[in-house]
């Protein structure tokens, strides 16, 4: 039996080759990609300017989508979370967040997964507690975005304006597929979203950050810092033992120099663990003189009850201390907690 091939796993060149093998000219690749990424077609049958015979061959040979929504799409307010089933039966989750105009610029941000599970194993993270199963393919990453793009299209003219690689998994541990997905989502002939509107969140894989600096991409980088000293960070983000803070900060500065993009440091706040004023001072000291932004995220109280959110006043004091020391900070309320929209939560509930 032939191996099933998925169109979103293909870049323009490989699609052209695929079509050439069935005697189709190169322009067909562009035509098909336009249907998939711009017109958001969900089937070959919709591709009305392709000959019927070709549509039938494509239906036999290729698949349009790598994933299917599993169960209901859960939604509350402006956040929609979907659990997807992949071809091998494994599940991942993605979130669509609508930010209304009052919150600044109106945005539709999709938060996508890059792996099934995660090898980093942060103790506070629901995904980290599920272990690592496998990397996603480029098509599986892209299809999460296209799914929500079609969903929005169904409701009118709204479009995806931002993509954050902040769902399940460590994006930089799946570098090749991540880059291929970014290229397809960025290419003007394909999805056409500016790389500036995409953000990769990483636990801090130094070699891959350095590699990314050389890609000449304008993608935003968010570092999940959570602690400003190695002893604590070794515990919270275990990959710190391999790439300690000093090396991580050098890689961050290089990324900023290479791209001109201001780095975001994510700092989840856990009561009694990393939330004191002295922790804030340590953080300010680490980031001193670095053109960056700190995003404070009170713990979303998921997998592990040892990692609770601090009281609101503690979060406020932490922020004020950072600001007093000249560090830009905002507090991000994690959205959609009522629908288990924190990283890996829906899936862990489902697997139970
Ligand atoms: N693996 C990447 C991206 C996915 S996790 C990374 O770690 O950056 C996305 C973000 O959610 C990370 O900043 C992660 O630390 C944070 N996160 C995970 N569990 C959390 C929790 N219980 N409370 C607050 N933030 C959490
Ligand atoms: Fe992996 Fe990120 Fe969760 Fe850590 S926080 S276990 S790196 S997904």
């Amino acid at each position: 039996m032939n191996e099933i091939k998925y169109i979103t796993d293909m870049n323009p060149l490989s699609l052209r080759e695929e079509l050439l093998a069935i005697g189709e000219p190169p322009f067909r690749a562009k035509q098909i990609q336009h249907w998939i990424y711009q017109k958001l077609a969900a089937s070959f049958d919709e591709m009305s300017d392709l000959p019927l015979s070709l549509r039938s061959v494509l239906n036999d040979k290729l698949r349009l989508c790598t994933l299917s929504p599993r169960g209901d799409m859960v939604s509350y307010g402006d956040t929609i979370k979907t659990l997807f089933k992949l071809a091998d039966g494994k599940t991942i989750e993605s979130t669509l967040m609508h930010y209304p105009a009052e919150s600044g610029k109106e945005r539709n941000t999709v938060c996508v997964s890059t792996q099934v599970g995660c090898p980093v194993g942060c103790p506070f993270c629901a995904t980290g507690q599920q272990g690592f199963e496998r990397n996603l393919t480029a098509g599986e990453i892209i299809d999460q975005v296209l799914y929500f793009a079609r969903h929005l299209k169904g409701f009118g003219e709204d479009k995806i304006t931002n993509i954050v690689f902040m769902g399940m998994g460590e994006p930089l541990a799946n570098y090749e597929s991540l880059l291929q997905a970014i290229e397809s989502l960025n290419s003007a002939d394909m999805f056409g979203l500016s790389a500036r509107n995409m953000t990769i969140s990483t636990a801090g894989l130094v070699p891959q950050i350095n590699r990314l600096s050389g890609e000449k991409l304008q993608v935003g980088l968010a570092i999940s810092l959570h602690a400003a000293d190695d002893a604590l960070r070794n515990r919270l983000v275990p990959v710190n033992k391999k790439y300690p803070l000093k090396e991580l900060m050098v890689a961050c500065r290089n990324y900023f120099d290479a791209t001109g993009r201001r780095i975001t440091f994510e700092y989840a706040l856990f009561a009694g663990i990393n939330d004191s004023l002295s922790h804030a001072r340590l953080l300010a000291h680490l980031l001193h003189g670095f053109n960056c932004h700190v995003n404070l995220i009170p713990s979303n109280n998921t997998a592990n009850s040892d990692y609770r959110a601090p009281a609101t006043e503690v979060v406020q004091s932490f922020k004020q201390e950072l600001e007093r020391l000249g560090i830009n900070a905002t507090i991000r309320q994690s959205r959609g907690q009522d629908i288990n929209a924190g990283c890996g939560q829906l899936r862990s509930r489902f697997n139970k």
Side-chain angles (χ1 to χ4, degrees):
M1 213 177 86
N2 283 339
E3 186 196 350
I4 295 175
K5 289 185 180 165
Y6 295 95
I7 286 226
T8 43
D9 274 332
M10 296 176 190
N11 60 23
L13 185 66
S14 50
L15 182 58
R16 275 204 298 276
E17 282 170 358
E18 193 66 34
L19 291 164
L20 204 63
I22 53 168
E24 288 296 325
F27 75 86
R28 289 279 183 231
K30 230 178 174 172
Q31 218 176 353
I32 292 171
Q33 265 158 348
H34 187 77
W35 272 107
I36 294 173
Y37 290 95
Q38 302 272 319
K39 295 191 177 173
L40 302 170
S43 72
F44 292 115
D45 299 324
E46 287 173 49
M47 303 182 184
S48 51
D49 54 3
L50 300 186
L52 270 175
S53 54
L54 175 59
R55 281 185 251 167
S56 152
V57 174
L58 292 175
N59 269 322
D60 284 344
K61 286 187 79 72
L62 301 176
R63 293 284 172 276
L64 216 65
C65 191
T66 57
L67 38 79
S68 53
R70 166 109 205 200
D72 286 323
M73 189 186 265
V74 209
S75 103
Y76 178 79
D78 283 331
T79 301
I80 298 172
K81 176 118 190 164
T82 301
L83 188 76
F84 292 108
K85 191 169 152 193
L86 308 174
D88 62 0
K90 296 190 187 304
T91 52
I92 52 160
E93 52 188 55
S94 332
T95 312
L96 175 69
M97 293 161 285
H98 176 79
Y99 297 87
E102 307 86 74
S103 63
K105 212 170 160 207
E106 185 170 7
R107 280 171 296 151
N108 287 305
T109 300
V110 53
C111 174
V112 302
S113 294
T114 52
Q115 298 183 310
V116 184
C118 180
V120 180
C122 305
F124 54 83
C125 168
T127 304
Q129 297 310 294
Q130 292 164 20
F132 174 65
E133 294 185 44
R134 70 167 173 86
N135 281 330
L136 296 188
T137 63
E140 287 166 336
I141 298 172
I142 292 166
D143 284 337
Q144 298 169 63
V145 177
L146 295 183
Y147 176 82
F148 285 115
R150 288 187 203 112
H151 172 86
L152 287 175
K153 190 180 164 213
F155 281 95
E157 290 302 303
D158 271 2
K159 287 205 161 100
I160 303 284
T161 59
N162 298 75
I163 299 172
V164 295
F165 299 95
M166 282 190 193
M168 300 170 62
E170 167 51 48
L172 294 186
N174 185 12
Y175 194 91
E176 307 293 339
S177 297
L178 174 74
L179 258 277
Q180 193 192 326
I182 289 175
E183 276 162 16
S184 297
L185 292 166
N186 177 227
S187 159
D189 286 338
M190 295 165 85
F191 195 65
L193 186 74
S194 161
R196 297 190 68 85
N197 293 1
M198 304 182 197
T199 301
I200 298 172
S201 175
T202 175
L205 308 195
V206 167
Q208 285 90 328
I209 295 172
N210 290 335
R211 198 172 156 195
L212 196 63
S213 299
E215 305 281 359
K216 304 276 172 275
L217 273 172
Q218 284 288 301
V219 182
L221 192 62
I223 305 288
S224 296
L225 202 58
H226 311 330
D229 70 282
D230 281 317
L232 182 56
R233 195 164 191 272
N234 287 346
R235 223 171 91 204
L236 293 177
V237 188
V239 78
N240 191 74
K241 289 180 214 148
K242 203 161 171 194
Y243 307 116
L245 283 167
K246 201 165 166 209
E247 289 177 31
L248 178 59
M249 293 311 293
V250 172
C252 289
R253 280 174 207 275
N254 290 343
Y255 191 81
F256 177 73
D257 291 342
T259 62
R261 300 243 25 206
R262 194 176 67 161
I263 290 183
T264 298
F265 289 96
E266 294 170 282
Y267 193 100
L269 285 162
F270 305 113
I273 293 176
N274 65 352
D275 64 341
S276 72
L277 292 183
S278 61
H279 288 117
R281 282 177 219 126
L282 217 55
L283 179 59
H285 182 71
L286 180 74
L287 302 181
H288 179 75
F290 191 11
N291 185 357
C292 63
H293 182 86
V294 173
N295 220 338
L296 298 170
I297 316 162
S299 173
N300 55 36
N301 296 341
T302 63
N304 187 332
S305 56
D306 292 342
Y307 297 89
R308 312 295 302 175
T312 314
E313 310 80 72
V314 174
V315 175
Q316 286 297 343
S317 313
F318 196 97
K319 175 174 185 267
Q320 280 158 14
E321 187 66 1
L322 286 180
E323 284 170 343
R324 191 180 70 78
L325 296 167
I327 305 290
N328 251 313
T330 47
I331 298 171
R332 186 175 83 198
Q333 282 309 331
S334 84
R335 294 162 60 103
Q337 287 193 27
D338 53 313
I339 56 163
N340 300 281
C343 177
Q345 287 178 61
L346 180 64
R347 180 172 184 265
S348 60
R349 193 189 58 169
F350 179 82
N351 285 347
K352 277 183 199 138

